Amino acid sequence: MTKVEQLAEWVAAADFSRLSEAARETLKLRILDALGCAAGAIGSDVLAMVRAEIDEMGGRPLATLIGGGKTAPDRAALHNSAAVRYLDFNDSFLAPGETCHPSDNVGAVLAASEFAGGDGRDLMVALAVAYQVQCRLSEVAPVRARGFDHVTQMAYGATAGAARALHLSAAQTANAIAIAGTAFNALRVTRTGRLSNWKGLAAPNTAFAAVHAAFLARAGVTGPEEVFEGNKGFEDAISGPFDIDWANEDLEIVRRTSVKRFNAEFHSQSALEAVVDLRDRDLDPRRVARVDVDVFQVAFDIIGGGEEGDKKLVTTKEEADHSLPYMVAVAMLDGEVLPRQYEVERINRPDVQALLRRVHVHPDPELTARFPDEHACRLRVTLDDGSVLVREKSDFAGFVTRPTGWAEAERKFRDLGGPPSVAAVVRNLEDVKVSELCAALALARGGGSCD
């Protein structure tokens, strides 16, 4: 068999009984976290633009939109994935050469599961499949250094998850994955230089495409069977050679994912926790003369002013949540980094604009060597009298070494405006139909306090 056929055999055979109790619990926590992020995004300008496009074009009312209404499953995947992704507050998976956000797959899997009349167990298995495929490919076949974005691997994961939710045959699943993997290879320019709205929409667009590919394969459309190993295939053109023995893969990688404490790019989390720790000890931001932040290389490259561009010119949400100088400065001033810290008025206020220019980010080889097992940083704050405050971190609340429990997850969900009825359904997801979850999601109105 070709590699995509081997993968498809594993996807089609995935079963709820193969999920450990720990994986089931973690999946429910990640679903709640993702849906809380989605609720918090309702009313945002970008999500409103996506919704307006869907409403104008229409679609058979076969899948629920978070916040109310129905449309075609692929369009629901686009909208709901955009809601999950917009705040940039959802989960992450760390690998040496790639970081991805596997809950980006929730919108695709949810739409396919609802269309298929699935139950909570179907949803959890399909989502576990999507997590496993995207995260494992990120681990063994990273693409960022070659100029491609991490949603490139999501094309395989989201399509695999959608195919499993639709109960496609192994042959149909192989074709669906081959179609999406061939067609949707995103460029990393999405997250370099001056950032645009597309930063938050690249993954939702891939979710839309993944569901579309699954339905095409369901109708009998075929895709390149050597999408991975063939001439000018994924390995030849993008990733280089790799190998995954899908026959022996489990469904447990979700347990290696982490959730965010702060509404900020994932590689910033430990540094922001260090800032808040110092601030809670009566650090007066008005006395700060200089801030030095030592981080691992990936954090420097993506959010610190390294290979992906200057991070001190910050005027929009997209630029702010990928600028470590801004996030450190606003955390020092406000004591938090939540959605309100990305309002345009807050971003452009003189206090934070002045302070972010005194924040200097440095890559540290010793911290880099500890990545990705640790999320290490060192913060040095020089005050106006020359004294220096130091705080070091090896992880943060929500990292895999300090995992989030149900109480913390539910608090974040509630603060982001998630409906209590959704949390109750997710808590007992094994025993409900996906339609029940979607009915509760239709009532989401956002407007969370984030206090």
Side-chain angles (χ1 to χ4, degrees):
M1 291 191 294
T2 65
K3 288 188 174 184
V4 77
E5 289 172 327
Q6 295 170 36
L7 169 56
E9 290 277 357
W10 174 81
V11 171
D15 183 79
F16 188 76
S17 65
R18 295 177 59 192
L19 286 169
S20 69
E21 286 292 338
R24 295 173 190 178
E25 184 70 10
T26 306
L27 280 165
K28 290 192 286 186
L29 286 166
R30 297 299 177 269
I31 291 169
L32 187 69
D33 187 76
L35 296 179
C37 293
I42 293 174
S44 63
D45 55 352
V46 173
L47 192 62
M49 287 187 273
V50 172
R51 179 61 188 260
E53 191 268 343
I54 289 172
D55 288 345
E56 181 179 4
M57 298 302 169
R60 292 190 66 194
L62 299 171
T64 301
L65 296 166
I66 295 173
K70 290 195 171 188
T71 187
D74 53 358
R75 291 181 174 275
L78 171 66
H79 175 274
N80 294 344
S81 296
V84 169
R85 193 72 186 91
Y86 175 75
L87 294 180
D88 202 355
F89 210 169
N90 58 322
D91 68 5
S92 294
F93 173 79
L94 287 182
E98 201 84 72
T99 299
C100 66
H101 304 278
S103 60
D104 286 347
N105 293 288
V106 167
V109 171
L110 183 66
S113 297
E114 183 183 13
F115 174 87
D119 59 25
R121 295 184 178 211
D122 293 319
L123 176 64
M124 292 168 70
V125 171
L127 188 59
V129 163
Y131 267 66
Q132 198 78 24
V133 174
Q134 183 178 6
C135 294
R136 288 289 284 126
L137 286 173
S138 297
E139 197 166 45
V140 305
V143 299
R144 184 179 65 231
R146 297 169 184 258
F148 291 88
D149 196 43
H150 58 256
V151 301
T152 296
Q153 293 100 332
M154 181 189 164
Y156 296 94
T159 309
R164 176 60 184 80
L166 293 171
H167 298 285
L168 299 189
S169 69
Q172 291 170 322
T173 299
N175 283 316
I177 296 171
I179 291 167
T182 300
F184 304 108
N185 295 287
L187 295 178
R188 186 66 187 178
V189 71
T190 298
R191 292 168 223 284
T192 66
R194 296 297 299 272
L195 299 181
S196 68
N197 295 149
W198 195 248
K199 179 180 74 67
L201 291 177
N205 184 64
T206 299
F208 170 82
V211 173
H212 182 62
F215 277 109
L216 287 175
R218 178 174 174 265
V221 177
T222 61
E225 62 184 15
E226 294 184 332
V227 58
F228 285 116
E229 69 270 38
N231 182 24
K232 304 300 187 287
F234 179 68
E235 292 180 76
D236 189 16
I238 299 176
S239 70
F242 69 91
D243 187 57
I244 299 175
D245 181 7
W246 288 108
N248 289 309
E249 280 292 309
D250 56 29
L251 291 170
E252 299 292 308
I253 208 164
V254 63
R255 297 170 59 192
R256 293 168 53 198
T257 61
S258 302
V259 297
K260 295 181 178 181
R261 174 182 173 183
F262 302 97
N263 186 184
E265 199 275 344
F266 185 70
H267 300 100
S268 71
Q269 298 291 310
S270 59
L272 297 181
E273 188 171 272
V275 171
V276 172
D277 284 354
L278 287 179
R279 192 181 188 279
D280 288 345
R281 298 179 183 180
D282 298 322
L283 170 65
D284 184 351
R286 294 170 298 182
R287 296 190 55 205
V288 174
R290 179 185 175 96
V291 181
D292 290 279
V293 189
D294 299 330
V295 294
F296 45 91
Q297 187 68 44
V298 173
F300 176 71
D301 286 341
I302 295 176
I303 57 174
E307 67 178 23
E308 298 198 353
D310 175 67
K311 296 299 176 180
K312 292 193 176 181
L313 179 60
V314 179
T315 60
T316 67
K317 174 198 177 299
E318 288 81 5
E319 292 167 345
D321 69 21
H322 267 55
S323 164
L324 189 54
Y326 174 82
M327 292 181 284
V328 165
V330 82
M332 197 166 285
L333 290 163
D334 296 358
E336 62 184 12
V337 184
L338 293 167
R340 57 174 160 257
Q341 272 67 50
Y342 299 111
E343 295 171 359
V344 172
E345 185 276 333
R346 182 68 191 102
I347 292 170
N348 291 292
R349 200 178 300 166
D351 62 345
V352 73
Q353 287 289 331
L355 184 54
L356 76 86
R357 285 163 175 77
R358 299 199 292 275
V359 177
H360 307 278
V361 185
H362 317 281
D364 184 293
E366 188 268 330
L367 301 180
T368 299
R370 293 157 60 185
F371 177 87
D373 295 329
E374 295 185 14
H375 196 285
C377 72
R378 184 181 307 106
L379 184 72
R380 291 168 286 141
V381 180
T382 304
L383 302 180
D384 52 10
D385 63 0
S387 60
V388 179
L389 305 176
V390 179
R391 183 70 170 150
E392 297 193 28
K393 288 280 183 178
S394 61
D395 62 5
F396 61 90
F399 192 61
V400 66
T401 51
R402 276 201 280 158
T404 295
W406 189 261
E408 297 91 343
E410 195 165 18
R411 186 180 307 115
K412 177 179 173 181
F413 176 83
R414 183 177 61 250
D415 288 346
L416 286 168
S421 57
V422 172
V425 171
V426 174
R427 193 74 183 96
N428 300 290
L429 193 57
E430 301 98 327
D431 304 317
V432 302
K433 299 285 287 184
V434 173
S435 58
E436 294 178 54
L437 175 60
C438 290
L441 288 169
L443 303 176
R445 295 293 179 267
S449 67
C450 291
D451 291 330

